Amino acid sequence: MATIKAELEALQAAASRAQLSQDAEIERLRKEKEEEERRVAEQLQLMQALEQQRLAKEEAERQLSEQLKVLSDELSIKDEALEELAEEMERLKIVHETKNGKDSAKLDELHSLRKQLKEAEAKDLTSQEELKTLQQQVKDAQKKEQTQMNILARIKKEQGEEAKKAKILEAEAESKNAQKEAAAAKVEELEKEMELVREARAMRETSQAVAAGTKVVLTAQQQSAFGACRHGRKEELTDLLGSGVVHANCINEAGNSLVVIAAQNNQKDVCKALHHRGADLDTQNRLGQTALHFAFAFGYTELGKWLVQKGANTNLKNANGMTCYQGLSPAQPAMPFVQRYVK
C-alpha cells in the first residue's frame, strides 16, 4: 500500500514536472515559430524588393543598350561626315592652291568647313565619353545584380535550414506529448488501483468488526448515506459516493449494507445507483439476510425481479437456513407468489 502510494505520488510529481516542462517547451516552440514566421515574412519582402530592383535594372540596362546603339549609330554617321568633310577640305585645298587665293569665297568656305570639323571632333569626343560612362553603368548594374542573386541564394538556403529545424522541433513536441499522455494514463491507473485497495480495506475492516461483534462506528457521511438509502434520496447518495468518502459496500452496525437498507425500503432507483457504483447485491447482515430476503418478505416483487435479473444469488440462506424465496424466518415467510412471479 505504501509503495503504491509512493509510486503514485512520484508519478504525480513527475507528471507535474513533465507538464511544466511541456508547457515551457510548447511556449518556447510557439515563440520560435512566431519568430520564424516573422523572419520568413521579412525575407519574402526582401526577396520581392530585390526582384523589383532586378526588373528595374533590366529595364535600365535595356534603355542603356538602346542609348548605346543610338550613340553608336550617331558616331558612325559623324565619322562618315568627318570623312566627307576631310575629303571636301582636301579638294578645296587643291582648288585653293590652284587658283592661288583668287577665290576668296572658297577660302571662307574652307574656314567654315574647318570650324565645322573641329566642332564635330569635339562633339565626337563628348559622345565617346558618354559611351564610356554608359558602359561603366552597365558593368556596375551587372555587378549589383550578381550581389543580389547571391543574397537570394543565401536566403533560400536559410529558409531550408529553418524548415528542417521546425520539423525536428515538431517531432520533439509530439514525442513529449506522447510521454505526457502515457504518464497521465499510468497515474489514472494507479489512482483506480488505490481506490480499489481503499474500498477493499474498508470492507474488510467493517466485515471483521461485524463478525467479531465489535460496534461499528459510522462517520457522519456514512450515516447520511444510510439515511439517503432509507428515504430514497438518490442525488444525495450519488454525491456522497462520487466524493469518495463513502463506498458502495459500506456496512452499518447491524451488518446491513447500503443495498440491504435500500431493499428494506423498496428503493429500487437507489439500488440501481449502488449497482452502477459496483455494490455487491449479495451482502448478508449479521442474521444472514440479503436484499432479496427483504424484497420477497415484504412483497417488493418489482425490486426482487430486478435484483434477480442483475445476478443476485437466490440460493443464499440466512441464519434460519432459509432462502429468499422462503422468507426471513418461519414467523415472517416470503410472499407465496414471488417465486412464480419472478420466474
Side-chain angles (χ1 to χ4, degrees):
M1 178 68 182
T3 303
I4 295 175
K5 185 175 182 181
E7 184 179 356
L8 175 60
E9 292 175 352
L11 284 172
Q12 289 175 339
S16 299
R17 289 194 298 272
Q19 177 67 37
L20 294 174
S21 175
Q22 179 65 20
D23 292 343
E25 182 65 18
I26 291 173
E27 181 65 17
R28 182 181 69 81
L29 291 175
R30 184 185 66 78
K31 291 182 178 179
E32 288 184 357
K33 184 177 180 182
E34 291 177 354
E35 180 64 19
E36 176 61 21
E37 290 176 352
R38 184 187 64 77
R39 288 181 59 189
V40 169
E42 291 177 354
Q43 290 174 352
L44 288 175
Q45 292 177 356
L46 177 59
M47 290 174 67
Q48 292 174 354
L50 291 174
E51 181 65 17
Q52 292 175 357
Q53 291 179 5
R54 186 182 67 79
L55 294 174
K57 286 173 184 177
E58 288 180 354
E59 179 62 22
E61 288 177 1
R62 185 185 63 78
Q63 294 177 359
L64 287 173
S65 178
E66 292 178 354
Q67 292 177 6
L68 287 172
K69 184 178 180 181
V70 172
L71 289 173
S72 179
D73 294 340
E74 290 179 355
L75 287 173
S76 297
I77 295 171
K78 290 175 182 178
D79 288 339
E80 292 176 358
L82 286 173
E83 290 177 359
E84 291 176 358
L85 286 172
E87 292 175 357
E88 184 64 21
M89 287 179 64
E90 186 64 27
R91 187 183 64 79
L92 290 174
K93 183 178 179 181
I94 294 172
V95 172
H96 177 68
E97 290 175 353
T98 303
K99 292 183 178 181
N100 195 20
K102 292 181 179 181
D103 194 352
S104 58
K106 293 290 184 180
L107 184 59
D108 293 338
E109 186 178 354
L110 178 61
H111 287 309
S112 177
L113 288 172
R114 284 178 177 174
K115 184 178 180 181
Q116 291 178 9
L117 179 61
K118 289 181 180 180
E119 291 176 353
E121 289 176 349
K123 192 172 182 180
D124 182 58
L125 181 61
T126 301
S127 298
Q128 288 179 355
E129 291 176 354
E130 290 178 355
L131 178 60
K132 289 181 180 179
T133 301
L134 290 173
Q135 289 175 343
Q136 184 61 40
Q137 289 178 356
V138 170
K139 289 181 180 179
D140 293 341
Q142 290 175 346
K143 184 178 180 180
K144 193 170 184 179
E145 182 182 6
Q146 183 61 40
T147 302
Q148 291 175 350
M149 292 299 292
N150 293 336
I151 292 173
L152 286 174
R154 180 176 58 82
I155 290 173
K156 290 181 179 178
K157 183 179 179 181
E158 290 178 354
Q159 287 178 344
E161 293 175 353
E162 292 295 336
K164 290 180 180 179
K165 185 178 180 181
K167 289 182 179 179
I168 293 173
L169 292 175
E170 288 178 0
E172 291 178 353
E174 290 177 357
S175 176
K176 289 182 179 179
N177 284 333
Q179 294 175 0
K180 177 183 174 183
E181 292 175 358
K186 182 65 175 177
V187 169
E188 183 178 358
E189 181 181 352
L190 287 174
E191 287 178 347
K192 290 180 179 179
E193 290 180 0
M194 287 291 293
E195 179 63 24
L196 293 175
V197 170
R198 285 195 295 268
E199 184 173 344
R201 184 179 64 181
M203 288 181 60
R204 184 176 64 253
E205 292 175 352
T206 304
S207 299
Q208 290 174 351
V210 171
T214 305
K215 180 177 179 58
V216 177
V217 180
L218 299 177
T219 65
Q221 292 86 352
Q222 290 172 334
Q223 291 176 359
S224 298
F226 278 101
C229 290
R230 185 174 292 107
H231 300 291
R233 296 194 295 269
K234 178 182 175 181
E235 291 77 9
E236 179 184 348
L237 176 65
T238 301
D239 292 339
L240 289 169
L241 294 174
S243 66
V245 296
V246 176
H247 59 81
N249 290 314
C250 178
I251 298 175
N252 65 9
E253 57 275 5
N256 291 316
S257 67
L258 294 172
V259 171
V260 170
I261 294 297
Q264 287 175 350
N265 295 274
N266 196 24
Q267 301 296 345
K268 183 178 178 181
D269 288 341
V270 173
C271 289
K272 288 181 177 181
L274 290 168
H275 178 65
H276 179 71
R277 289 282 180 173
D280 184 0
L281 301 180
D282 293 326
T283 56
Q284 295 176 281
N285 62 15
R286 290 183 178 181
L287 298 178
Q289 314 289 12
T290 66
L292 276 175
H293 278 88
F294 289 108
F296 290 160
F298 297 161
Y300 303 147
T301 53
E302 290 298 327
L303 173 58
K305 185 176 181 180
W306 178 83
L307 289 169
V308 172
Q309 290 174 346
K310 293 303 177 180
N313 191 347
T314 60
N315 296 317
L316 293 177
K317 295 182 179 182
N318 59 19
N320 295 316
M322 302 173 69
T323 67
C324 59
Y325 289 126
Q326 294 173 326
L328 300 176
S329 65
Q332 196 173 5
M335 294 296 177
F337 58 86
V338 292
Q339 185 172 1
R340 183 175 67 254
Y341 174 78
V342 171
K343 292 184 176 180

